[in-house]
Amino acid sequence: VFSYRKRNITVLNLWFRIHQFYFWKIKIFWKEREKEIYNIVLQANLAGEAAAVNGAWIPDIDAAARKVIADAGYGYEFNHRLGHGIGYAGHEAPYIHGDYKMHLEPGMAFSCEPGIYIRGEIGIRIEDVVIINEKGETEILNKCTKELIEIC
């Protein structure tokens, strides 16, 4: 568990390992302007997850999330890949990015973690673990709420 607090923002980075597999969840709590940015990132997260279906072209998944952030005027501030494979290593293939030319297939587990990072101000990321199960269905493994939580 990693916790960081600055300017009314608290970041909790929770990660754990079950057997030989890694899992994690990042939760961020804040006030004011950051709510708008959070909601943009949330919409990008949901767009990426909706695009992550069996057989989907990985660059299209990245593009679906990236478009939400770019349309809101923060395209330059989304400066990393949408996600990466999760399994035996914390970061592995498939890499969910526009340059990774591959289709999703059953058995793949990966993160969907769009973010907006404004240098010297704030960085907001929402991260979930997604799998394409053996039936070819998309499952979101994180069951935590994505609701914005305000702390008084």
Side-chain angles (χ1 to χ4, degrees):
V1 175
F2 167 78
S3 178
Y4 174 75
R5 184 175 192 100
K6 184 177 181 180
R7 295 189 203 173
N8 294 325
I9 298 170
T10 302
V11 177
L12 297 176
N13 187 358
L14 309 164
W15 68 272
F16 51 96
R17 186 175 176 178
I18 298 177
H19 304 289
Q20 67 268 35
F21 297 99
Y22 289 91
F23 299 89
W24 58 82
K25 182 70 180 177
I26 297 173
K27 293 295 282 185
I28 304 171
F29 309 90
W30 62 81
K31 297 184 179 215
E32 302 313 317
R33 173 180 178 239
E34 293 79 4
K35 293 177 192 178
E36 174 191 344
I37 296 171
Y38 177 87
N39 285 320
I40 295 165
V41 173
L42 175 58
Q43 293 308 309
N45 174 268
L46 295 173
E49 290 175 357
V53 297
N54 188 24
W57 185 240
I58 288 176
D60 292 344
I61 301 165
D62 181 78
R66 202 166 293 281
K67 181 178 184 330
V68 172
I69 292 175
D71 286 353
Y74 291 100
Y76 184 75
E77 285 81 17
F78 183 8
N79 54 19
H80 62 85
R81 63 185 172 224
L82 177 61
H84 55 82
I86 297 173
Y88 292 107
H91 294 80
E92 61 186 48
Y95 297 100
I96 312 302
H97 190 273
D99 293 333
Y100 200 79
K101 311 299 187 199
M102 184 177 199
H103 292 276
L104 290 182
E105 54 189 59
M108 290 183 167
F110 52 93
S111 64
C112 179
E113 50 184 286
I116 294 174
Y117 309 94
I118 302 170
R119 184 179 288 273
E121 286 187 52
I122 189 165
I124 296 176
R125 175 187 296 191
I126 300 174
E127 180 173 350
D128 289 314
V129 176
V130 180
I131 65 167
I132 305 300
N133 68 23
E134 64 278 352
K135 296 178 185 175
E137 302 164 332
T138 302
E139 291 185 45
I140 311 302
L141 296 187
N142 301 79
K143 303 302 179 192
C144 299
T145 182
K146 294 181 190 179
E147 176 185 353
L148 183 61
I149 300 170
E150 294 189 53
I151 300 174
C152 33

